[in-house]
Amino acid sequence: MNTDRDRDRERDGDRDRDRDGDRDGDRDADRSATPTPTTTTAASEEPHHTPADTAPPLTLRPAHPADAPVIAAIHQAARRAAMPYLPPQRRTHDEVTRWIRETVLPQCHTVVAARGPELLGYAAVRGDLLEHLYLRPDARRTGIGTRLLAEARRHRPDGLSLHVFQLNAEARAFYAHHGFRVVATDDGSGNMENLPALTLHWAPAPGPLSPRGTP
């Protein structure tokens, strides 16, 4: 979905900040050194009108360097659609593409959602942080954000965190629906947009305890 705090730090190979929410956690290549909340929200996605019986199946696969231009276009379009309150983007498509290729892909576990040759969204995890989760605007509300989030959690089964702007109500609702809880807040002084943000965290449910006396 759209993860608000897509913490995309760009300067000197760093990430920016966001996550739609979904995510997606709201960071952007427009940020220099400070992380910012990310997100593209599954909860805010528009219906995709390709007939289900003729569309290729949706697949998730690792992102490749050749995907960088399309991932950059998704990133920019998703932020405009899901977070209209952000300042206008200052980076060109070529600059965002270079940031994706040289910073995001080398530093993050990044997967793309594809239907045939079309890329519809991507998620990037660095350590236990969901840095980015963005969808193409016309691919929202189709379950793709949920699929990408499930893959991110599969990659980090012990727990996952993300940052999201407080204004990103759709992303916050999406992540809450998927079991993320607020664990910290900030007043916006730590991100380039100066917008209050939340840190969300998901942890797996504890397994059943073994009966006393059993191995």
Side-chain angles (χ1 to χ4, degrees):
M1 311 286 41
N2 292 338
T3 73
D4 239 81
R5 209 161 163 161
D6 280 307
R7 263 166 119 143
D8 311 327
R9 285 183 161 171
E10 196 183 26
R11 187 192 315 171
D12 299 328
D14 283 339
R15 303 168 268 151
D16 297 17
R17 268 190 93 178
D18 139 323
R19 90 231 310 98
D20 87 323
D22 99 328
R23 257 97 283 6
D24 234 275
D26 307 19
R27 312 166 224 87
D28 177 60
D30 291 345
R31 301 170 187 108
S32 313
T34 338
T36 299
T38 76
T39 293
T40 341
T41 316
S44 67
E45 307 165 19
E46 299 297 331
H48 192 268
H49 300 296
T50 304
D53 54 349
T54 61
L58 182 75
T59 59
L60 301 184
R61 63 165 176 81
H64 307 305
D67 298 324
V70 180
I71 293 175
I74 291 171
H75 184 94
Q76 292 178 292
R79 289 182 66 84
R80 285 193 298 268
M83 291 173 276
Y85 47 82
L86 293 181
Q89 297 178 15
R90 299 184 301 274
R91 305 300 181 190
T92 66
H93 178 258
D94 285 346
E95 288 173 322
V96 178
T97 296
R98 185 167 59 252
W99 166 71
I100 293 288
R101 183 184 295 118
E102 297 178 1
T103 300
V104 175
L105 297 187
Q107 296 180 3
C108 300
H109 171 76
T110 306
V111 295
V112 295
R115 232 182 251 292
E118 276 192 295
L119 299 191
L120 303 177
Y122 83 104
V125 177
R126 180 173 178 170
D128 65 353
L129 187 69
L130 179 60
E131 292 277 7
H132 314 286
L133 199 171
Y134 287 115
L135 299 179
R136 206 171 71 181
D138 66 335
R140 298 186 299 177
R141 295 191 181 279
T142 62
I144 295 173
T146 296
R147 291 277 302 273
L148 285 168
L149 181 58
E151 171 60 21
R153 294 201 289 196
R154 186 199 66 77
H155 179 66
R156 296 294 305 188
D158 294 335
L160 193 65
S161 296
L162 60 89
H163 305 291
V164 61
F165 289 123
Q166 290 187 24
L167 287 172
N168 197 334
E170 291 176 339
R172 292 170 58 185
F174 170 76
Y175 288 116
H177 175 73
H178 288 284
F180 284 78
R181 298 293 176 261
V182 176
V183 295
T185 63
D186 71 60
D187 61 3
S189 59
N191 63 68
M192 295 295 292
E193 293 81 1
N194 294 315
L195 292 174
L198 308 173
T199 299
L200 309 183
H201 182 73
W202 164 82
L209 296 176
S210 300
R212 181 173 294 183
T214 62

